[in-house]
Amino acid sequence: AFDWPVRVYYEDTDAGGIVYYANYLKFFERARTEWLRSVNVSQQSLAEESGAMFVVGSATVEYHAPARLDDTLKLTLQIEKLGRASVQFLQQAWCGEQLLASARVKVGCVDSATLRPRPLPDPAAVKMRAALI
């Protein structure tokens, strides 16, 4: 499992000082980006060198408890399934021992010119598979 810390800022909250529900998707996006960096996969390089990019195909989020202004969250990420052209993640947001939100996010690999599905480039797939071990 991979984890990434995030601080809750004023801009992340609603009028009541609670994290606005859609912002968890932003937090989870940041965690996926940082995970890719941690396994040496650059999204910019993928696009430039192989014409591949990642797009979110689906996301299902369950909200368990609220996060508040100034909380420090721990975002966790696990790969549930690594396919030929897609990756399914289980992501969670924690504040201390309290689970705040969990999501299943399926990300597909597409050709940047046609936006049609394509296999993950071999170098990226190898690095992602190595991270599973």
Side-chain angles (χ1 to χ4, degrees), residues 38-89:
S38 78
V39 298
N40 296 313
V41 173
S42 163
Q43 293 184 76
Q44 187 67 34
S45 295
L46 271 180
E48 291 171 357
E49 296 167 10
S50 66
M53 61 185 208
F54 296 115
V55 295
V56 173
S58 65
T60 304
V61 184
E62 293 184 32
Y63 302 95
H64 308 283
R68 292 180 165 76
L69 180 63
D70 289 329
D71 282 350
T72 300
L73 309 183
K74 178 175 75 170
L75 307 176
T76 64
L77 174 151
Q78 293 176 257
I79 293 178
E80 289 190 311
K81 182 180 179 187
L82 180 57
R84 188 170 166 258
S86 66
V87 185
Q88 183 167 306
F89 296 95

Side-chain angles (χ1 to χ4, degrees), residues 5-10 12-13 17-19 24 27 65-74 94-96 98 100:
V6 170
R7 168 82 61 192
V8 175
Y9 295 109
Y10 186 78
D12 299 320
T13 64
I18 293 181
V19 170
Y24 286 96
F27 297 157
R68 292 180 165 76
L69 180 63
D70 289 329
D71 282 350
T72 300
L73 309 183
K74 178 175 75 170
W94 296 83
C95 186
Q98 176 72 53
L100 305 177

